[in-house]
Amino acid sequence: MADITRRLGWRHLRGAPTAHIRHHRSGKLVHDGPGLSFWFRSLTAALSEVPVDDRELAMTFHARTADFQDVAVQATVTYRVSDPAVAAARLDFSIDPDTGVWRGAPLEQLGTLLTETAQQHALDVLARTPLAAALVDGVTSVRERVAAGLAAEPRLPATGIEIVAVRVVALRPEPEVERALRTPARELIQQEADRATYERRAVAVERERTIAENELASKIELARREEQLVEQRGTNTRREAEESAAADKVRAEAEATRTVRLAEAEAARAVKLAAAEAERAVKLSEAEAAGQVRLADAEARRTERMTEAEAARTVRLAEAEAARAVQLARAEAESARAVGEARAQAQAAWLRVHADVDVTTLHALTGTRLAENLPHIDSVTVSPDVLTGLLAKLGVRE
């Protein structure tokens, strides 16, 4: 729309670059062209504004196919005014000199002309085309036929109209027919979807079966390995018990051997001590006898002046006493030697007897001897933890 302003009885018009202005005054063309700007008087001016830009005309119409089915066609026609002088002469593009508004509705007339012309050619094509073919190839055929028909329409160039492009957006049947037509394809798609679902389920079942078999095989392998582990643990425990028993046996034999050796050494030492004690006693007795003899000789010499009877009696008594002391010392030495030998033989016999006894009996005898040699104990307090540990050790040993 042109921009018109008032100044002191004059009017000023300023047009747009896409609008072709024609100014007539007294029947003569004064201004003609797009984007003009000029002054005029409203009482003597006749103005026309013809748009020369590309315009889109959207149209929707219904048609009937060869099988008597109704379809809706949505199309868009792009056009422009190529000859503004011819269009202004054929259509009313005049504007009010005060407001610049069209006095008529020229674009509506153009829209009606184009719509009816395009509809005529589309109906001609669809009337000879079945619905199925129209839905498949109808858009292309309708577009080509409408474009060709509009290009060949003589009224459009005579009106100064040029068709730029024709587009058919959609060709739709009635909703019920469209749903009916969609049903086979939808059923086929649904069948394919069901088949894919069944295949997916079958694959899932197969995979679940494979997973279950793998889990079962894993459990079987785990059970077999647990069985091997239990068997190996039993074998290790048995070997440990055997090794412990063998070690206890070796320790007992070594202890017995050491005890026997200690006893033999103790017996030998006792025998040596007894023999030494006997020899010492004999030597002491002999020395004592010799001393007593010397004493007796001294006494005899001292008592030489005594009577012979007294001297003889004293000498006899001294000799008897010396002989008795020597015999007593010899008897004591023999007794000590015999006691030492008997003790050594008894210890050796005790060791020989205990060498054939098992380890448990030796432990019991050791505990008995230990208890015999323990000092006096008034009271003993045994806690549950200690008793539990002792019982556990006794149970393990059993």
Side-chain angles (χ1 to χ4, degrees), residues 269-344:
R269 188 174 65 84
V271 171
K272 290 180 180 180
L273 290 175
E277 186 67 24
E279 291 178 358
R280 187 176 64 82
V282 171
K283 290 179 179 180
L284 289 175
S285 299
E286 291 178 351
E288 185 178 356
Q292 290 178 1
V293 170
R294 286 194 299 271
L295 290 174
D297 291 339
E299 186 65 25
R301 285 192 303 269
R302 186 177 61 84
T303 57
E304 285 179 357
R305 291 183 298 269
M306 297 177 64
T307 59
E308 292 179 355
E310 186 67 23
R313 186 176 62 82
T314 302
V315 171
R316 285 194 301 272
L317 289 175
E319 292 176 355
E321 186 66 25
R324 187 177 62 82
V326 171
Q327 291 179 359
L328 181 59
R330 290 178 179 177
E332 288 178 357
E334 292 294 333
S335 176
R337 185 183 294 108
V339 169
E341 292 177 356
R343 185 178 297 173

Side-chain angles (χ1 to χ4, degrees), residues 187-245:
E187 291 296 330
L188 182 60
I189 294 173
Q190 187 64 39
Q191 291 177 4
E192 291 295 328
D194 293 340
R195 185 177 62 81
T197 302
Y198 296 149
E199 290 179 356
R200 184 172 64 254
R201 289 181 179 177
V203 172
V205 170
E206 182 66 22
R207 290 180 179 177
E208 289 179 357
R209 184 181 64 80
T210 304
I211 292 172
E213 290 179 354
N214 292 334
E215 290 180 352
L216 182 60
S218 299
K219 290 181 179 179
I220 293 174
E221 182 65 20
L222 181 61
R224 186 178 64 81
R225 292 188 178 183
E226 287 181 354
E227 181 181 0
Q228 293 178 356
L229 179 60
V230 171
E231 183 178 357
Q232 186 64 35
R233 284 180 177 175
T235 302
N236 294 339
T237 304
R238 185 170 60 256
R239 289 180 179 177
E240 184 177 358
E242 292 176 355
E243 294 294 333
S244 178

Side-chain angles (χ1 to χ4, degrees), residues 13 66 93 100 123 144 169 174 176 193 212 255 274 300 322 330 343 379:
L13 183 144
F93 283 97
L123 292 176
E144 293 176 353
V169 180
E174 294 180 347
E176 295 81 4
E255 186 68 23
R330 290 178 179 177
R343 185 178 297 173
S379 61

Side-chain angles (χ1 to χ4, degrees), residues 244-245 248-249 251-253 354-369 393-394 396-398:
S244 178
D248 292 340
K249 182 178 179 181
R251 284 195 298 270
E253 291 177 354
H354 287 76
D356 299 331
V357 180
D358 56 350
V359 177
T360 306
T361 305
L362 291 176
H363 290 168
L365 292 174
T366 303
T368 303
R369 295 294 298 274
K393 290 181 179 180
L394 291 176
V396 171
R397 291 178 178 178
E398 291 179 359

Side-chain angles (χ1 to χ4, degrees), residues 51 70 103 119 171 200 296 350 363:
D70 185 58
R103 295 179 183 274
Q119 184 176 358
L171 197 151
R200 184 172 64 254
W350 184 81
H363 290 168

Side-chain angles (χ1 to χ4, degrees), residues 121-139:
H121 294 289
L123 292 176
D124 188 18
V125 172
L126 294 174
R128 293 191 299 270
T129 306
L131 178 61
L135 294 178
V136 175
D137 301 323
V139 173

